[in-house]
Amino acid sequence: MKVVFGLKAHSGWAALVVLGRQKDDLLVVDRRRIELVENEWAKQPYHAAEGLKPEMARDLVERGIDSAHKFAVREMRAALKREMDRKNEVKACAVLVGSPMPDWNVEEILAVHFRMHKAEGVLFRDALVHAAKECKIKPVEIPEKELASHAEREQIAALGKSAGPPWGKDQKEAALAALIALQSLVVS
């Protein structure tokens, strides 16, 4: 079966929903939480760097970003292996994204608390997109703001009923992202 990953990132983790189509039916093939950090500080590396000398702050943030990228690649490879073991073919990886990050350096980010939150939000989404590319899966970046315009919410709710709990907001949004990517593959 051809499947698509749908991912909704958070600080240090992401919700993963794998959707496939069997004949005309959509199926939730898998869903789980994937970890994107090992250390507690790495969930918010900019916050952890706050108050440090500039060179130390840059180093800590860089280590946090590198760690998130490595963990995301590891988790993506594990998800790919699970699907290969099921004899499924992963066609795309839909990642929910926000607005792009301005070209701020670490010092500029640390100077304004809101920027730290913005940077950390972008960091984990970027790590997931990076992991998809690294694993040679087509990344499909879907702006979260566009989710409201898709009418498939009832279909996603029905999928959740068939999959069983937990089926919260994160799973619904990751599934909707995967569905959008799956539909774009059918069209293209």
Side-chain angles (χ1 to χ4, degrees), residues 9 95-101 118 121-122 125-126 141-145:
V95 178
L96 290 168
V97 296
S99 56
M101 183 77 172
K118 171 93 173 147
V122 169
R125 292 184 282 245
D126 285 354
E141 296 180 50
I142 300 172
E144 282 192 61
K145 290 179 182 178

Side-chain angles (χ1 to χ4, degrees), residues 8 18 27 29 36-37 74 78 84 101 108 121 145 165 172 174 176:
K8 167 133 173 119
V18 182
L27 298 172
V29 177
L36 300 175
V37 297
R74 183 192 74 192
M84 287 172 52
M101 183 77 172
E108 291 170 321
K145 290 179 182 178
K172 290 173 189 171
L176 184 51

